[in-house]
Amino acid sequence: MSIDINVRGPLFDGRAQRAIEDACDDARDDIAAYAEERVLMGTSANFKTRTPYYETRVTTTRVSSEVSLVHDQGVIYGPWLEGVGSRNAPVTRFAGYHFWRAAKQAIAVRGPQIAEIAVQRHLPEMGG
């Protein structure tokens, strides 16, 4: 007596693995886009006289396959705007806007949900 086993489908032909990798890439990109959006919302809410220079410097850079960095490209007065510069309180009365800190806190809360949505989009490719 012999038994033939036929193994096929997304788990066995590599489609599931590719879908998982794509879901992780999408989650990283979606979370970075949300972080960038939150920073720009903070600048538009706090800047009384908006000049586009700083806002055009806020961008996302893919550092590695697992990490994306949202940053202001090293704008010299960026730390002062955030409130972490050497010329902030107590040196001056300006304590900063803290829009980067607010964006980080928003990501801590909303990041898992954003990642879950990215995974859900790729479930059909995984055979789910």
Side-chain angles (χ1 to χ4, degrees):
M1 172 176 230
S2 71
I3 299 175
D4 292 329
I5 299 174
N6 190 358
V7 181
R8 59 190 151 115
L11 186 61
F12 300 103
D13 65 13
R15 287 181 288 164
Q17 182 64 33
R18 283 190 301 276
I20 289 168
E21 291 167 3
D22 290 345
C24 290
D25 285 345
D26 285 357
R28 186 200 58 250
D29 293 343
D30 294 349
I31 290 170
Y34 179 72
E36 188 174 328
E37 176 186 315
R38 296 298 300 194
V39 169
L40 293 173
M41 285 174 51
T43 61
S44 66
N46 288 297
F47 293 177
K48 289 181 176 46
T49 304
R50 292 179 64 197
T51 57
Y53 181 77
Y54 186 78
E55 292 170 331
T56 61
R57 297 288 125 208
V58 175
T59 190
T60 301
T61 303
R62 188 170 184 173
V63 177
S64 71
S65 63
E66 298 173 358
V67 177
S68 288
L69 176 67
V70 180
H71 58 97
D72 65 3
Q73 300 179 35
V75 173
I76 192 88
Y77 54 88
W80 178 76
L81 288 173
E82 179 62 13
V84 295
S86 61
R87 295 200 174 254
N88 291 99
V91 176
T92 64
R93 291 186 317 199
F94 182 63
Y97 295 121
H98 307 291
F99 43 81
W100 287 98
R101 183 185 324 169
K104 183 178 178 182
Q105 291 168 346
I107 290 302
V109 171
R110 187 96 194 281
Q113 180 185 12
I114 294 170
E116 176 71 25
I117 292 168
V119 170
Q120 292 291 330
R121 282 195 312 262
H122 289 277
L123 276 180
E125 301 165 45
M126 295 178 206

